[in-house]
Amino acid sequence: MTRSKLLRALTVAGTMALSAVATAPAAHAAASSCTHDWSGPQICVSADGRNGTANPGHVTASWTNPPKSRTSATVYLYQPDGYRYSFKAKRSGGRLVGHTAPGIQSSGNLCVRFKGSSHRACIDIRDRNGSF
C-alpha cells in the first residue's frame, strides 16, 4: 500500500472513530456534593446513576474527618419523597464510607447525614435526570 493510500485510510478511520464518540450519549452522569463547614465534620454524597433516568445509581456517603475512635457509623439517607432509611458506613483510612443503591427517586434533593453529626450533604435529582 502506498503512503498516500495508508494516510487516507488512517484519516477515514480516525474520522469515523471520532464521530462515533461524539454522538454516543454519556454513560453516567455523576453528581456529588460536600458540606463546607470547616469547623465541623465534612460530609459528602455522590451518585453514579445513568443520565436521563430518575435512578441515582449507587450512592456513596463519606465522612472525611470523623473522630479517631469511630470505626463505623449509621448513615441516614433522606429521599425526595420524604422517606428515610439507614445503612452502615465503615472506616476506610481516615474516612467513614458507606454505599447503597436506593432505586428510582422523585425530583428533589437526595441527602445523607451521619449519626452523631447534624451536617447534611445533598444532591439535586432534577439536575441529574434532566427533568426540570
Side-chain angles (χ1 to χ4, degrees):
M1 183 180 270
T2 65
R3 184 175 176 172
S4 63
K5 286 183 180 180
L6 179 62
L7 185 57
R8 186 178 306 165
L10 288 174
T11 302
V12 169
T15 303
M16 289 175 61
L18 283 174
S19 66
V21 169
T23 59
H28 290 88
S32 64
S33 175
C34 294
T35 59
H36 295 288
D37 179 2
W38 301 114
S39 63
Q42 185 172 15
I43 307 298
C44 297
V45 60
S46 64
D48 68 355
R50 287 205 174 275
N51 191 19
T53 70
N55 186 343
H58 293 94
V59 174
T60 301
S62 64
W63 182 351
T64 59
N65 55 352
K68 292 182 185 200
S69 61
R70 303 281 303 259
T71 58
S72 66
T74 300
V75 181
Y76 298 105
L77 180 93
Y78 299 87
Q79 297 182 177
D81 61 7
Y83 184 72
R84 178 187 87 172
Y85 71 92
S86 63
F87 59 98
K88 288 290 184 185
K90 295 181 180 179
R91 184 169 285 275
S92 176
R95 304 182 314 157
L96 292 173
V97 180
H99 308 278
T100 189
I104 303 299
Q105 301 293 308
S106 57
S107 292
N109 285 332
L110 184 72
C111 302
V112 296
R113 181 181 68 81
F114 280 78
K115 186 173 184 177
S117 171
S118 61
H119 293 81
R120 282 187 187 196
C122 301
I123 54 175
D124 189 347
I125 297 301
R126 285 180 298 248
D127 286 347
R128 292 185 34 69
N129 67 20
S131 60
F132 292 96

